[in-house]
Amino acid sequence: MSRIVELFKDISKIPRESGNEKEICDYILDFAKRNNLEASSDKLYNVLVKKDGNNCTKNPVIIQCHTDMVCVKEDGSDHDFTKDPIDLIIDGDKISANKTSLGADNGIGVAFCLYLLEKNDIKHPPLEVLFTTNEETGLDGASYFDTSKIKGKTLINVDGEEAGHILLSCAGGTNVFLRKKLSYEAQDTMGYEVTIKNLLGGHSGLDIGKNRLSAIHAMSRLLIKLRELKGFRLSDFEGGEANNVIPQHGKISFTVKDDQPIKKIIKSVENELKSEHPEEKDIIKFNLEKTKINKVFSKELEKSIIDLFTILPYGVQKMSQSIDGMVQTSLTNAVLKTKDDEIELEILFRSSMQSEMDYFINKIKNMTNLVNFKFEIKSSYPAWELDTDSKIKDITSQCYEELFGKKPILESIHAGLECAVFKEKMPNIDMVSIGANIIGAHTTHEEVSIKSIDDLRILVEKILTKLE
């Protein structure tokens, strides 16, 4: 087993959901100490480790990854991401996890950086290895990090998810909350609960153009039909797992008068969604069960919720006019839940064009005013624009072609990368993003190719010899 896989197995034992990175921070600091390396951390648990050049005293190179992971699990799993290790499954060339996300995004990057810090038999410039936090929830660690602590002018981000692809730019993003005070009416009756579970989901940037069904959208489609039934009253509506994930699970609870055609309506909507999302036709299924209902939303709140999802757009809003097949602007209605005394919807906007993202944000703000929801921008990060004169791009491309006998794919992506934050803070930095081959990131289907991990290793080692 390769050393990088061994290190990945080690860090997979450490809980590292976004916002819970102290333990992985301590692990990296201890790792640096054991290897006699200079290391420091800050109050957001970012860690910077410095390593002298090996037979090279030129300018340092920054290698950067993030320590946090998206934590999602299959419905019915009792996995506790605050304490349980990820249960890894190694099968031939594939590493996956048992009923949870794997955390290869960006655990493979973390493991690779640790490997590079302890390896002493290749020539390389001085290294500044930066482990950032809270990437998955808004690039918070990178935004907070004091870049005056680093001297390098070249940065290699190892958060890519497709081997053979060199990322040169990315979309910006804005995270928004829509909220409304909860108000209830007492009930004491039998009602119904409808769930949809274990959809394909996916990364809300990389997979948003693949026509994946959102569980929240599926439930809102059903609600629009069910609200016409006699005696319909909504008791609960929730869905989604994380702000950057296409929702895999959703649930509604409601009451209706007896002898209403509930099953017929459910089957009708289910068939519509199967037709619209053929890739998932075998897993799109609404599950109907009877349940005790003790309270329902007030009529005013119920109307506001259903009206909101009737008018609210989701998914791809515009394709790029300059890059064939690339999504330019999208929004993901990511997490819907009741929290304290409010119902809350979290939306993630992404766009490579700031003016277009601003337009859609204002559009949604006006929509929420119409249905009496409050609108709040939580966080925002910039786009990383293409640098056609990038030297590290040319070196990375040359090294890839020499190693693998084919040209790499130079690419811009519809997802957020910390490169965007570093470019804003250090305008003269020269960057690329590369990585191993990860499929299904941010989902319970996530897996990584072991061979691609080794390909990443030999690629970066060769790049570093070119930079010495």
Side-chain angles (χ1 to χ4, degrees), residues 30 51 81 113 137 185 203 301 331 357 406 428 439 448:
D30 183 63
K51 183 178 182 180
F81 285 106
C113 286
T137 54
E185 296 175 11
H203 190 296
L301 176 59
L331 61 93
M357 183 156 62
K406 58 183 178 181
N428 295 324
I439 298 171
V448 61

Side-chain angles (χ1 to χ4, degrees), residues 200-336:
L200 286 179
H203 190 296
S204 66
L206 302 180
D207 297 322
I208 199 69
K210 297 179 180 178
N211 195 33
R212 301 279 175 84
L213 176 59
S214 157
I216 292 176
H217 176 70
M219 291 318 231
S220 64
R221 288 275 292 268
L222 185 58
L223 271 179
I224 292 167
K225 295 285 186 70
L226 291 174
R227 77 186 303 185
E228 302 302 324
L229 296 178
K230 292 179 181 178
F232 175 84
R233 297 300 302 274
L234 182 62
S235 175
D236 191 22
F237 183 11
E238 61 184 52
E241 300 75 52
N243 75 333
N244 51 8
V245 175
I246 300 168
Q248 292 181 270
H249 314 301
K251 178 181 76 174
I252 57 171
S253 302
F254 60 93
T255 65
V256 293
K257 288 191 180 299
D258 292 338
D259 301 322
Q260 297 292 299
I262 300 170
K263 291 183 179 179
K264 183 178 180 181
I265 289 174
I266 289 174
K267 194 63 179 177
S268 172
V269 175
E270 188 178 287
N271 287 336
E272 290 174 1
L273 294 172
K274 287 182 176 183
S275 177
E276 295 167 17
H277 302 272
E279 183 186 9
E280 297 178 83
K281 64 181 180 180
D282 294 332
I283 58 175
I284 294 173
K285 180 175 176 56
F286 290 115
N287 302 289
L288 174 67
E289 295 182 358
K290 286 197 171 184
T291 188
K292 183 70 173 177
I293 302 290
N294 297 313
K295 59 184 178 180
V296 295
F297 293 146
S298 68
K299 279 283 192 182
E300 188 273 335
L301 176 59
E302 176 187 296
K303 184 178 186 304
S304 290
I305 292 169
I306 300 176
D307 286 351
L308 174 65
F309 283 97
T310 302
I311 63 176
L312 196 63
Y314 89 105
V316 176
Q317 301 301 303
K318 190 173 180 181
M319 299 298 291
S320 172
Q321 303 302 297
S322 56
I323 302 175
D324 187 41
M326 179 178 165
V327 177
Q328 179 166 290
T329 301
S330 73
L331 61 93
T332 303
N333 303 325
V335 182
L336 177 67

Side-chain angles (χ1 to χ4, degrees), residues 314-379:
Y314 89 105
V316 176
Q317 301 301 303
K318 190 173 180 181
M319 299 298 291
S320 172
Q321 303 302 297
S322 56
I323 302 175
D324 187 41
M326 179 178 165
V327 177
Q328 179 166 290
T329 301
S330 73
L331 61 93
T332 303
N333 303 325
V335 182
L336 177 67
K337 61 186 177 183
T338 54
K339 181 181 179 183
D340 300 325
D341 62 344
E342 294 180 314
I343 187 166
E344 175 185 275
L345 174 66
E346 189 170 5
I347 302 175
L348 180 59
F349 295 81
R350 299 182 189 269
S351 185
S352 52
M353 186 170 289
Q354 186 64 44
S355 60
E356 195 163 270
M357 183 156 62
D358 291 343
Y359 164 76
F360 278 101
I361 290 170
N362 284 323
K363 183 176 181 177
I364 300 304
K365 182 177 182 180
N366 289 331
M367 287 179 177
T368 59
N369 288 337
L370 292 174
V371 294
N372 300 312
F373 268 72
K374 293 180 180 177
F375 177 96
E376 177 192 353
I377 294 178
K378 176 189 176 185
S379 60

Side-chain angles (χ1 to χ4, degrees), residues 380-447:
S380 187
Y381 54 87
W384 169 27
E385 296 185 1
L386 179 66
D387 178 6
T388 56
D389 296 324
S390 168
K391 292 181 180 178
I392 188 61
K393 172 201 71 175
D394 294 339
I395 292 171
T396 304
S397 298
Q398 178 189 349
C399 289
Y400 184 88
E401 190 168 0
E402 289 175 1
L403 285 168
F404 304 110
K406 58 183 178 181
K407 292 183 180 296
I409 297 171
L410 305 180
E411 189 174 32
S412 300
I413 62 167
H414 186 67
L417 285 170
E418 290 157 304
C419 296
V421 173
F422 293 122
K423 189 67 174 178
E424 185 176 56
K425 298 171 82 169
M426 301 181 290
N428 295 324
I429 197 82
D430 189 13
M431 301 179 292
V432 292
S433 177
I434 53 179
N437 207 41
I438 300 172
I439 298 171
H442 300 187
T443 77
T444 55
H445 312 292
E446 183 179 6
E447 61 183 58

Side-chain angles (χ1 to χ4, degrees), residues 39-89:
S40 60
S41 63
D42 59 30
K43 71 176 185 179
L44 257 63
Y45 304 115
N46 295 309
V47 181
L48 175 63
V49 185
K50 295 186 178 183
K51 183 178 182 180
D52 291 339
N54 190 359
N55 295 321
C56 177
T57 58
K58 291 191 175 181
N59 292 329
V61 175
I62 306 160
I63 311 291
Q64 188 265 322
C65 63
H66 67 83
T67 56
D68 60 319
M69 63 175 281
V70 170
C71 294
V72 295
K73 59 185 178 181
E74 289 184 8
D75 188 71
S77 169
D78 60 359
H79 186 94
D80 185 344
F81 285 106
T82 66
K83 63 179 183 180
D84 294 340
I86 301 298
D87 185 8
L88 300 182
I89 300 170

